[in-house]
Amino acid sequence: MTSEADPLTLVLVGPMAAGKTSVGRRVARKLGVPFVDTDKRVVAAHGPIPAIFEQHGEAHFRALERAAVAEALGTGGVISLGGGAVTDVATRTLLIEHPVVFLTVTPAAVADRIHSGGRPLLAGDDPVGRWTQIFEERRDWYDEVASVTFDTSRRPMQRIADDIVAWRRDCLLYTSDA
Ligand code: S3P
């Protein structure tokens, strides 16, 4: 669970709207390392996510996402993955050697966070119902890759970020004592 290249490398996974980007940005700032959002990397190189899904399908998006994750892990820092990255076995394999934080959130809390568009998998009449179903389908994969889990439903993102930084520093202390 250590990264030889950068001891502060840390990966954030979790369902859509769990707060991966807002928490990740804050964690990176506190640790003094770069922040990478792999969705943003994919968009910068290939255009908007809804268009990728529409024109090339989800499998193509997963391949682009996997490449972005591999590249980000190569450079290091705090890396936030899209909610569905864990559905891809090769992406899960890439995460094996890294500390992975799983951010959870309740359907009630997510309802306030998913009004904006841009998430093709939540398009339709019942985004929260869809979100809940997708989260349940993926939960075992999140658990499989996670080193630790934090819930973002009720506490300010900065507090959650502080807890993650404390956890990471504890891990490093423990590792250097061993
Ligand atoms: C997806 C989550 C999105 C984005 C894409 C697919 C998913 O990222 O990667 O729309 O399958 O859960 P966020 O988790 O940042 O919304």
Side-chain angles (χ1 to χ4, degrees):
M1 207 185 66
T2 56
S3 166
E4 294 297 328
D6 177 357
L8 294 176
T9 287
L10 176 69
V11 180
L12 294 168
V13 300
M16 290 173 270
K20 299 180 295 289
T21 302
S22 8
V23 170
R25 235 183 253 296
R26 289 170 168 85
V27 171
R29 201 176 303 135
K30 276 201 90 156
L31 291 176
V33 298
F35 173 69
V36 181
D37 177 328
T38 57
D39 276 346
K40 290 217 166 59
R41 288 272 174 96
V42 171
V43 170
H46 305 281
I49 292 172
I52 300 172
F53 269 69
E54 203 180 302
Q55 289 162 20
H56 305 286
E58 182 172 347
H60 181 71
F61 173 75
R62 295 300 166 209
L64 300 177
E65 181 174 54
R66 186 191 316 130
V69 172
E71 193 193 329
L73 288 170
T75 16
V78 173
I79 303 162
S80 164
L81 271 49
V86 295
T87 63
D88 184 89
V89 63
T91 300
R92 295 201 302 279
T93 304
L94 289 172
L95 300 181
I96 285 172
E97 292 298 318
H98 298 279
V100 178
V101 176
F102 171 24
L103 295 183
T104 59
V105 60
T106 61
V110 106
D112 291 333
R113 301 186 193 171
I114 55 175
H115 22 64
S116 67
R119 290 184 170 113
L121 295 178
L122 299 183
D125 290 346
D126 180 16
V128 178
R130 196 61 200 116
W131 179 92
T132 306
Q133 183 196 347
I134 292 171
F135 187 20
E136 284 315 314
E137 286 167 6
R138 295 173 175 173
R139 190 179 273 277
D140 287 350
W141 285 319
Y142 291 124
D143 284 332
E144 177 189 317
V145 298
S147 318
V148 67
T149 302
F150 292 91
D151 188 77
T152 70
S153 307
R154 291 165 193 274
R155 297 171 61 236
M157 295 296 177
Q158 187 59 52
R159 296 272 302 281
I160 297 156
D162 292 345
D163 288 352
I164 292 171
V165 169
W167 168 79
R168 187 70 193 115
R169 288 191 171 137
D170 277 356
C171 291
L172 290 169
L173 270 179
Y174 179 74
T175 310
S176 63
D177 281 354

